[in-house]
Each structure stands twice: as structure tokens, then as C-alpha cells.
Amino acid sequence: MILVTGGLGMIGAHTARALADLGQDVLVTGHRRTAVPSFLAGRVAVETLDATDRDAFLALGDRYDLTDIVHLAGSIPGEDPVTFFRTDLAGLTNALDAARTWRVRRFAVASSLGVYVGREEPSWHEELPLPAAELPHLIVAFKKAVEPLTTHSLRGSGVEPVVLRIGTVWGPLVDPESPFFPIPSYLNAGLCGATPRPLVADEGFDCCYAPDAGRAIALLTTAPSLRYHTYNVSSGQPATNREFAEALAEIVPGVPVRLEPGGETGPYLDISRFREETGFAPEFDVRAAVADYAAWRKTNPR
């Protein structure tokens, strides 16, 4: 059985669904979010877990035969950065302790495309040295630290680490007013009958629809063997605000295309390493993703 911590959040839930689709038995844990998404109902085991509670974490191994861990649980920073770092570090070290105690095969952990901040290349691949740069957010700072903490903690343990440098993910269960990415709020406004705030038309960015991201993580978790310990997880190509605005206007008649001129494509994640090893290809382009998300929102608040 595969444990997915944070498995009731957006990325975790889609990872759990993809693992179940592959025929795996899955245990998901949640803490702040405890509602089980409809697409997981009856398909996975669910436990409420505060990942900072070491005893409770390790006790999962008494009730389940856990063979792999996908650690996606994390908190949202408040005013005190030390509290945030303490909380998420406790969750990480407890998950690593569990991996070693249970002697799991593979331990996959969430990092971020933000670790590349400071690189000037148009696309980012795993061989690039990570720059010493000022990071844009506390979460990115922690994710950058997660990578060596994980690989050093598991060295010599027999547990294989897999660092997931996850790109910009959106889709069912995303916060419709996410402060990190403007597309969810733009789509949410249009789907709710409001006029979206305008976007810069040709601004391009890394982007991956949540079901594709979940399937990618599931493939990396279950692959018979992996050549590396670090993988970019995304669609492998940029998308633009224009693509999203035009897709929404096509799918929801009457929604205006709210675009301002200008913009350019920023860096995005190169997934060649992952694609060559697993054969992964995203199933959703922008239009298909917007259509799927619009159908989801008809009966779901997130």
C-alpha cells in the first residue's frame, strides 16, 4: 500500500486517484482538509493525521502494510516564518523516520520549480546548478531545503528518494482565488457569471493540469526503476493567458475575453528526463483542461 500524505489536497488527491487507477492500494492522510473528493470516495483508505505528531505518524505502520511514501503534506505560512519552518520540518522528518522504520521501497517528496529561481534559461532542466538567489516565498525556501535534507536522510537506508520539482499546478480542488496563480480566479469569475479581471495576453508560464500532475507523480512512484533522484513534474510546455481566456470564452458563451496587450513567455520546466524514462505525456491541453474544470465546477465549490 502506498501512503500519500496531504492526500486530500489538490495535488495529493489527484496523485492518489492516479495510483488507484494503476491498481495500487492507497492510504491518504489529511489534516486541515478532511473532506474526501468525490473522485476518491470508496477508492482509497483515509486517515486524519497531523504529520507533526511522530507517534501518530509511525502508528500508521501498525495498521497498514505501507510499501512507498509520497510526502505532499505541508502548511501555509502565517506571520511567523519560524513557526512555518518548524511545522513543515517536523512533518518532513517524521515522514523520513517512517520511511526508514517501515523500510519502504521509495520516498517521493514535493519540491518546487521555484528552486530554479535565478536561472536565466528559457526552460529549466534538472542538470542546472541551483543558484544562490533570493527566493520569492517561504514555501519555495523550504522546498529548496527539502531536497538535500531528504537525500542525505535516506542515504544508506535502502529507501530510494525521489525529489519532485513540481511546476505550476491547477485544476479540481485548486483554491479558486489562489494568490499564487491568476488563472484560477480568472476562470472562477467567468464560470460564476462575473467579468474576469484582465490578464496580459501573451504572458506565458509553466502550467500543468492537476490530473496530469497526479499521473506523473504516480508513474514516478511506481516505476520499476529510476535512473535519477530528481525529476521535474509538469506538462513540459508553457501556456499563455490568451489560451486560457479564449478557451473559457469558447466553453462558456458570453464570457468576454479580457486581455491586455503585451507579455512574454517566462521559463518553464523541461520534462525530457521524466518523459524518456516513463513515456509520460500530458493528456490535457489548455482547452481540454478548461472544459474539464468547468464541468467539475458545476457541482463542486473547488
Side-chain angles (χ1 to χ4, degrees), residues 21 57 61 83 101 129 149 172 177 179 194 209 231 239 251 260 265 297:
D21 288 343
F57 206 129
T83 298
T101 300
L149 289 172
E177 298 301 330
Y209 194 51
Y231 292 88
I251 292 164
E260 297 176 344
T265 299
R297 285 301 307 280

Side-chain angles (χ1 to χ4, degrees), residues 84-85 88-89 92 137-146 149:
F84 165 68
F85 289 136
D88 279 29
L89 182 58
L92 173 65
H137 197 275
L138 291 177
I139 293 177
V140 176
F142 181 73
K143 297 301 186 187
K144 195 168 185 177
V146 160
L149 289 172

Side-chain angles (χ1 to χ4, degrees), residues 13 23 53 55 57 87 120-121 160 165 169 176 203 205 211 231 237 243 267 282 298 301:
D53 184 335
D55 291 339
F57 206 129
T87 298
E120 300 296 332
E121 292 80 4
E160 181 181 11
R165 290 180 178 165
V169 178
E203 184 177 87
F205 37 81
Y231 292 88
Q237 58 189 11
E243 291 178 86
K298 285 181 180 178

Side-chain angles (χ1 to χ4, degrees), residues 1 7 19 35 43 61 102 106 109 114 119 138 147-148 158 161 211 233-234 263:
M1 176 175 272
L19 287 167
R43 303 192 67 198
W102 303 336
R106 190 169 286 165
V109 65
R119 301 293 318 191
L138 291 177
E147 299 194 5
V233 175
S234 195

Side-chain angles (χ1 to χ4, degrees), residues 67-90:
T67 59
D68 302 88
I69 297 174
V70 183
H71 183 56
L72 301 175
S75 64
I76 303 299
E79 294 184 1
D80 183 1
V82 175
T83 298
F84 165 68
F85 289 136
R86 181 183 295 114
T87 298
D88 279 29
L89 182 58

Side-chain angles (χ1 to χ4, degrees), residues 8-10 29-37 172-175 302:
L8 298 177
M10 177 181 61
T29 66
H31 182 44
R32 295 187 312 277
R33 186 179 296 178
T34 57
V36 179
L173 301 180
V174 73
D175 178 356
R302 292 178 72 113

